[in-house]
Amino acid sequence: MNLRQLRYFVRVIELGSITRAAEALHVAQPALGLQVKQLEDGLGVQLLARHSRGVEATPAGRLLFDRARAILRQVDDTQRDVMGFGKRVRETLSLGLSPSLVALLGPDLVQRARTELPDLELRLVEELSFTLAEWVEAGRLDLALAYDPPEREGVTAEPVLEEALVLVRPAAGGVAPEITMVEVLAGELALPGRVDSISRTLASEAARRGVPLRIAFEVQSVAAIKRLVARGLATAVLPRGVVADEVARGELSASRVTEPPIVRRLALLSRPDRAAMRQEPQLRTMLFDMARRSVPQA
């Protein structure tokens, strides 16, 4: 068992396909397949289960996958630290944010990190919270700020805050500051997708009341949802901070949802088995501070 085989094997599992892994690694597919076969032969156990959609790890393969990622991370960290001994070392950290958090924090976070953490290269990735949790588990992201993340084996979710959501409608005179859940469910809604935490919460409330969830549009873009609402084609449930500018300009209106209020929980996701970077504690403090200053809390 050698490091090349481990790197190849980890990439195959992450992508679920020997073909895609070969393309990502710039290696001929037969050569990659041979390395994995030699790894299986050397360990005397089957690591991959083949199927029509690609490959997945067997129980033994899952064990090796988890251990291999930790080993490779330690090797990379050791190489970096030794090569940079006595030198200034830049670290690269990949951080996942949901679309609403990118809108609220993205530019300011990048600018502040550059100023206060000059030895850290921060790479932002925008995705839905459900996907961010998957990518932290798979090792594709170092950290992620995600809303109501599903439980994942090997992923730690550190609570950050609770955020109250509002019903967003076209701007109009006399809009009530509050609206009940019954009234929310009576409207035609634009939602970001069925796996999104907001959609799941509304679907649960509709099922509890025995009424249909009326979905006019399913759009995984906050900007597109706001445009649909502004045109009077639907209503939407969104964080107040995401629509604050449009409400201030009189383009949209926002009403707090009651009976019950819609609240989602923001958490910082990470894997406890990964080696922390030198400037990671400062970045975590920065993330908590900026989130609590910028996100309207319940």
Side-chain angles (χ1 to χ4, degrees), residues 171-252:
V175 173
E178 296 184 352
I179 188 170
T180 66
M181 178 63 74
V182 172
E183 294 173 291
V184 171
L185 295 175
E188 296 282 343
L189 293 159
L191 297 177
R194 297 180 188 273
V195 298
D196 183 82
S197 62
I198 296 175
S199 299
R200 287 187 279 120
T201 298
L202 291 174
S204 176
E205 288 293 336
R208 189 168 68 85
R209 289 170 168 77
V211 299
L213 182 62
R214 302 171 63 188
I215 304 175
F217 303 96
E218 242 184 64
V219 186
Q220 291 187 359
S221 165
V222 173
I225 288 176
K226 290 193 290 186
R227 287 195 292 270
L228 289 169
V229 173
R231 295 176 184 178
L233 300 176
T235 60
V237 174
L238 293 171
R240 184 180 295 275
V242 169
V243 296
D245 291 342
E246 289 84 357
V247 171
R249 294 195 297 264
E251 299 169 4
L252 295 172

Side-chain angles (χ1 to χ4, degrees), residues 14 23 30 51 55 72 91 94 97 99 126 130 148 193 211 218 281:
E14 287 178 344
E23 293 174 353
H51 50 70
V55 297
L72 294 171
E91 298 175 312
S94 56
L97 298 177
E126 179 180 345
F130 186 88
D148 295 329
V211 299
E218 242 184 64

Side-chain angles (χ1 to χ4, degrees), residues 50-234:
R50 278 81 172 174
H51 50 70
S52 59
R53 300 182 304 279
V55 297
E56 62 183 5
T58 63
R62 173 56 61 178
L63 172 62
L64 178 61
F65 176 66
D66 291 338
R67 298 284 180 86
R69 284 192 304 181
I71 291 169
L72 294 171
R73 171 73 73 168
Q74 286 186 323
V75 169
D76 292 341
D77 290 344
T78 300
Q79 182 180 25
R80 182 197 65 226
D81 293 344
V82 173
M83 292 177 65
F85 192 79
K87 302 177 183 177
R88 177 177 174 180
V89 179
R90 283 184 60 80
E91 298 175 312
T92 299
L93 185 144
S94 56
L95 170 67
L97 298 177
S98 71
S100 60
L101 287 174
V102 170
L104 284 175
L105 305 179
D108 292 338
L109 175 60
V110 172
Q111 183 178 7
R112 184 172 169 183
R114 176 176 292 182
T115 302
E116 299 181 21
L117 305 173
D119 293 334
L120 181 70
E121 180 182 346
L122 183 62
R123 295 179 180 174
L124 293 188
V125 177
E126 179 180 345
E127 254 302 344
L128 297 179
S129 291
F130 186 88
T131 302
L132 293 177
E134 287 185 345
W135 287 1
V136 170
E137 181 184 30
R140 296 176 62 182
L141 292 173
D142 295 306
L143 301 173
L145 278 174
Y147 285 104
D148 295 329
E151 290 188 7
R152 295 269 176 191
E153 184 178 354
V155 175
T156 300
E158 186 177 356
V160 178
L161 55 82
E162 291 188 349
E163 178 182 19
L165 305 180
V166 295
L167 181 72
V168 182
R169 292 175 285 184
V175 173
E178 296 184 352
I179 188 170
T180 66
M181 178 63 74
V182 172
E183 294 173 291
V184 171
L185 295 175
E188 296 282 343
L189 293 159
L191 297 177
R194 297 180 188 273
V195 298
D196 183 82
S197 62
I198 296 175
S199 299
R200 287 187 279 120
T201 298
L202 291 174
S204 176
E205 288 293 336
R208 189 168 68 85
R209 289 170 168 77
V211 299
L213 182 62
R214 302 171 63 188
I215 304 175
F217 303 96
E218 242 184 64
V219 186
Q220 291 187 359
S221 165
V222 173
I225 288 176
K226 290 193 290 186
R227 287 195 292 270
L228 289 169
V229 173
R231 295 176 184 178
L233 300 176

